[in-house]
Amino acid sequence: MTNTEQPEKVSVSLDAKDYEILRLLEENAKLTVREIAGLIHLSPTPTHERIKRMEKSGVIKQYAAILNRQLVGKGMIVLCMITLREHNKRSGAVFIKAMLEFKEIVECYNISGDFDFMVKIVAESMEDYHNFFVNKLGEVKGIGQTKSIFVMAAVKETHQLI
């Protein structure tokens, strides 16, 4: 599978207890198996088995700490819409490879409409963003057009799906 192809649809069977576990882990991934088991009224062994099954199947992709952007010096968010000059597999792969290498880009989506991609960039300041835009993003081969949208305030930010 190349980076421009969609992943295969994998059917994973989840029941109500699995969803309870997922909701609890989304809220606090530091909960112990014993704590989760108590909250969902199962014993620790089947709870642990369910978590391991969901990790192995890819339902649980990873565990992470969610940082306060402002407190780590990344208070600015820019959404950048990008159109490629050429629309072929090679151009797409070159672009995607570059996006994956930039630590400033925290999300990248292949989209429909007037633009081909939307990237979410975090920066310390306008000067920091300008430096990234000119010296890094601007050097990526194959970019035809860009449009930067500066986020004034985050109304809702969540990682929780369930």
Side-chain angles (χ1 to χ4, degrees):
M1 176 175 78
T2 67
N3 285 332
T4 57
E5 294 175 3
Q6 294 295 319
E8 277 185 46
K9 298 277 188 218
V10 178
S11 179
V12 178
S13 180
L14 302 174
D15 64 18
K17 290 291 184 192
D18 292 330
Y19 280 105
E20 286 182 63
I21 292 169
L22 292 171
R23 184 183 49 75
L24 289 167
L25 287 172
E26 279 188 321
E27 289 174 6
N28 182 1
K30 290 180 77 173
L31 288 173
T32 66
V33 171
R34 191 172 299 286
E35 289 170 326
I36 294 169
L39 291 167
I40 66 168
H41 310 294
L42 274 182
S43 64
T45 300
T47 301
H48 184 258
E49 289 170 358
R50 285 171 178 268
I51 292 170
K52 288 299 173 198
R53 176 179 46 82
M54 290 188 286
E55 290 171 347
K56 186 176 179 182
S57 69
V59 171
I60 298 173
K61 289 173 35 175
Q62 72 182 55
Y63 297 91
I66 299 169
L67 308 180
N68 181 317
R69 282 182 299 95
Q70 286 81 9
L71 296 179
V72 297
K74 300 290 183 186
M76 178 176 230
I77 299 174
V78 182
L79 303 175
C80 186
M81 314 298 268
I82 301 169
T83 300
L84 300 183
R85 257 188 260 131
E86 296 178 20
H87 294 89
N88 57 53
K89 223 176 206 182
R90 187 181 180 292
S91 296
V94 167
F95 175 80
I96 289 170
K97 183 179 185 298
M99 297 305 102
L100 294 173
E101 292 175 1
F102 295 137
K103 66 176 177 49
E104 296 88 347
I105 294 179
V106 295
E107 296 176 30
C108 177
Y109 301 100
N110 184 206
I111 60 173
S112 64
D114 295 336
F115 292 90
D116 300 316
F117 291 90
M118 181 180 79
V119 296
K120 180 178 177 182
I121 301 161
V122 293
E124 293 178 19
S125 62
M126 182 61 80
E127 182 180 344
D128 186 42
Y129 173 70
H130 181 260
N131 181 50
F132 168 75
F133 185 82
V134 170
N135 298 314
K136 292 183 179 180
L137 189 61
E139 294 298 312
V140 175
K141 292 198 184 331
I143 292 179
Q145 178 185 1
T146 63
K147 179 179 182 178
S148 296
I149 301 165
F150 299 90
V151 175
M152 296 175 19
V155 176
K156 180 179 180 178
E157 288 182 311
T158 184
H159 66 281
Q160 295 178 316
L161 301 176
I162 298 175

